[in-house]
């Protein structure tokens, strides 16, 4: 689950992380009122969407010369002008795709003089099973571009969960940023507090870009936080921050039925049980020359009703031209899945090609149920066979 910048900064401030003062605004008047609560005389008006690159973004409704989603203001009237131009309009960035996201919230913060900008992020390093800190002197830039063009400017260190964050980690962060004296001490303190927030809130990512030197202070000027959705039950205060307006409607609907669903850009819908098997299914579709339209994991114990809802989700995407069902029955019985597939196909009046590969518990019964259904279901012997058949079907072969 993602949250907005102003929400992330509020959470981090509770852990003692230094952030400039700011006020969230949901209307032009609230943005103007925020000026009275800030020191000034410089203010920053920031569009709040779940995407990076806001400052370099553009508004669909405005001309190419219009400013992006992060703007400076030196008076309440300038704040009003920016807020009027930004609220309700569609901001397109490198991370939103061409459709962009509608701006419904703003964040008005105190402006600061920036001397240097750094990058600091905490993520889960699944390779080592540890939390990794990613540090770079190239703050304020696209970190992917830095990694590609000047990888030597990125330093990564991992933290043993048995010992946690130690003073030597903080010293390594400060050294990687080229800081000394009091700024080095601040860097060590800030990184320790960010690590604590990451662990205690069950975050999957905390990204600070930039972490800035402002005179004699280090300040977090932008923050992104993602959370492990499986741990949100432990953090109701974080779950309350969820903004459904920033999420795909299909993914919201999927969460209601305990389905793991992510929309993609292809035309072959995938219905699979198990995340690893779902990834393998998408890979083999691509190897066969096709493009998956979604990641969809129905879980290990899906019911007939759950399979029906999964079909509805897939077919709600007008780009879907065929569906591949790939089920390995362990806990899940193939005959139950077959019944669910038939019920779903009839309920949604399926009109696109459907290829089904079943293997595992009660597979013979499941295949017999599909064969006797009278529906146009193409069986497959294995995953490679299934991928080739669905790719050929959507191509009209």
């Amino acid at each position: 689950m993602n949250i907005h910048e102003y929400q992330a900064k509020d959470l981090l401030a509770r852990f003692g992380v230094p952030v400039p003062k700011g006020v969230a605004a949901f209307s032009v008047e609230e943005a103007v009122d925020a000026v009275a609560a800030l020191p000034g005389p410089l203010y920053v008006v920031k569009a709040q969407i779940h995407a990076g690159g806001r400052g370099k973004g553009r508004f669909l409704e405005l001309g190419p010369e219009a400013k992006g989603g992060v703007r400076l203001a030196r008076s309440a009237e300038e704040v009003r002008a920016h807020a009027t131009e930004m609220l309700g309009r569609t901001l397109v960035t490198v991370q939103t795709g061409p459709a962009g996201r509608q701006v419904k919230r703003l964040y008005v913060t105190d402006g600061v003089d920036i001397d240097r900008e750094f990058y600091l992020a905490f993520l889960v390093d699944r390779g080592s099973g540890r939390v990794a800190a990613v540090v770079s002197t190239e703050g304020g830039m696209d970190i992917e571009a830095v990694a590609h063009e000047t990888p030597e400017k990125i330093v990564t260190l991992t933290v043993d969960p048995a010992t946690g964050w130690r003073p030597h980690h903080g010293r390594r962060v400060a050294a990687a940023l080229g800081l000394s004296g009091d700024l080095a001490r601040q860097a060590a303190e800030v990184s320790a507090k960010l690590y604590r927030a990451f662990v205690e809130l069950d975050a999957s990512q905390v990204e600070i870009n930039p972490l800035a030197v402002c005179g004699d202070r280090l300040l977090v000027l932008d923050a992104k936080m993602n959370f492990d959705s499986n741990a949100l039950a432990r953090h109701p205060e974080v779950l309350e921050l969820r903004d459904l307006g920033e999420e795909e409607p299909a993914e919201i609907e999927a969460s209601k039925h305990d389905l793991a669903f992510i929309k993609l850009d292809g035309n072959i819908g995938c219905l699979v049980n198990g995340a690893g098997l779902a990834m393998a299914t998408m890979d083999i579709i691509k190897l066969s020359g096709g493009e998956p339209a979604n990641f969809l994991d129905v879980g290990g114990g899906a019911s007939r009703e759950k399979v029906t809802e999964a079909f509805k989700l897939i077919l709600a995407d007008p780009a879907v031209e065929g569906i591949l069902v790939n089920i390995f029955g362990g806990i899940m019985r193939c005959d139950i899945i077959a019944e669910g597939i038939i019920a779903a196909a009839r309920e949604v009046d399926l009109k696109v090609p459907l290829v089904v590969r079943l293997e595992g518990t009660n597979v013979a019964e499941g295949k017999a149920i599909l064969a006797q259904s009278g529906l146009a279901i193409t069986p497959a012997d294995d995953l490679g066979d299934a991928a080739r058949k669905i790719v050929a079907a959507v191509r009209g072969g």
Side-chain angles (χ1 to χ4, degrees):
M1 188 190 87
N2 298 339
I3 59 175
H4 290 288
E5 174 197 356
Y6 75 91
Q7 296 167 325
K9 283 183 175 177
D10 181 60
L11 284 178
L12 294 176
R14 299 177 197 178
F15 287 83
V17 176
V19 299
K21 191 172 182 181
V23 179
F26 296 81
S27 68
V28 173
E29 291 308 318
E30 287 183 358
V32 174
D33 291 344
V35 171
L38 299 174
L42 182 65
Y43 313 96
V44 187
V45 184
K46 310 178 83 171
Q48 297 294 284
I49 59 172
H50 287 178
R54 292 168 294 162
K56 296 179 181 179
R58 62 182 179 85
F59 287 93
L60 278 180
E61 299 87 350
L62 304 177
E65 302 303 317
K67 297 177 182 178
V70 178
R71 306 181 183 183
L72 297 178
R74 289 175 173 78
S75 68
E77 285 312 305
E78 281 193 51
V79 169
R80 179 185 296 277
H82 292 326
T84 300
E85 199 167 80
M86 295 163 73
L87 276 172
R89 289 200 164 95
T90 305
L91 181 61
V92 178
T93 79
V94 292
Q95 293 186 12
T96 64
R101 295 277 180 83
Q102 187 180 47
V103 177
K104 301 176 182 177
R105 312 177 187 202
L106 299 175
Y107 188 37
V108 184
T109 73
D110 187 34
V112 294
D113 292 324
I114 301 172
D115 298 319
R116 283 179 284 172
E117 295 183 329
F118 306 126
Y119 179 93
L120 176 58
F122 288 87
L123 343 141
V124 176
D125 181 356
R126 302 196 183 280
S128 66
R130 298 182 175 189
V131 175
V134 181
V135 191
S136 177
T137 54
E138 305 305 295
M141 296 180 62
D142 181 350
I143 197 64
E144 288 81 7
V146 176
H148 177 70
E149 297 167 9
T150 53
E152 71 279 2
K153 294 184 178 180
I154 297 178
V155 175
T156 302
L157 57 106
T158 58
V159 184
D160 188 335
T163 58
W165 191 265
R166 310 300 297 170
H168 70 87
H169 292 117
R171 291 194 292 271
R172 287 182 65 190
V173 169
L177 297 178
L179 297 175
S180 60
D182 188 57
L183 286 175
R185 178 190 61 77
Q186 290 183 51
E189 289 181 354
V190 169
S191 55
K193 290 170 180 176
L194 289 171
Y195 176 83
R196 179 173 161 239
F198 182 95
V199 172
E200 292 189 12
L201 293 174
D202 286 306
S204 55
Q205 179 186 38
V206 174
E207 183 182 56
I208 309 303
N209 188 21
L211 173 67
V213 176
C214 304
D216 59 357
R217 298 182 299 162
L218 269 184
L219 288 175
V220 167
L221 298 190
D222 196 3
K224 293 185 184 127
M225 293 185 75
N226 298 343
F227 300 88
D228 180 354
S229 297
N230 295 313
L232 288 174
R234 294 201 292 261
H235 304 285
E237 77 285 5
V238 174
L239 187 56
E240 287 179 359
L241 303 178
R242 185 180 182 188
D243 181 2
L244 296 178
E246 287 290 316
E247 299 180 22
E248 284 284 346
E251 293 175 18
I252 297 171
E253 186 64 24
S255 67
K256 296 177 183 178
H257 303 284
D258 196 25
L259 297 167
F261 179 90
I262 299 173
K263 187 182 180 307
L264 303 174
D265 296 327
N267 61 349
I268 297 176
C270 304
L271 192 159
V272 191
N273 67 318
L277 188 59
M279 297 293 287
T281 301
M282 293 190 295
D283 285 344
I284 202 162
I285 286 173
K286 289 184 72 70
L287 282 172
S288 301
E291 290 293 334
N294 62 270
F295 168 100
L296 197 160
D297 173 15
V298 296
S303 63
R304 172 173 166 170
E305 292 74 22
K306 202 170 183 180
V307 172
T308 301
E309 292 301 330
F311 263 88
K312 289 179 181 178
L313 276 172
I314 293 172
L315 291 171
D317 182 356
V320 170
E321 298 176 5
I323 299 176
L324 171 56
V325 176
N326 183 23
I327 298 294
F328 186 86
I331 299 172
M332 182 181 292
R333 289 166 39 193
C334 290
D335 55 331
I336 297 296
I337 289 298
E339 291 173 356
I341 291 170
I342 293 167
R346 287 175 174 157
E347 183 174 336
V348 301
D349 190 22
L350 186 66
K351 297 185 183 302
V352 299
L354 172 61
V355 175
V356 179
R357 180 256 185 170
L358 295 179
E359 196 56 71
T361 306
N362 290 0
V363 64
E365 293 90 333
K367 288 182 176 180
I369 290 170
L370 293 177
Q372 296 163 12
S373 68
L375 298 174
I377 298 174
T378 303
D381 297 324
D382 55 46
L383 182 50
D385 181 44
R388 288 188 293 272
K389 284 179 175 176
I390 192 61
V391 170
V394 299
R395 289 178 176 173

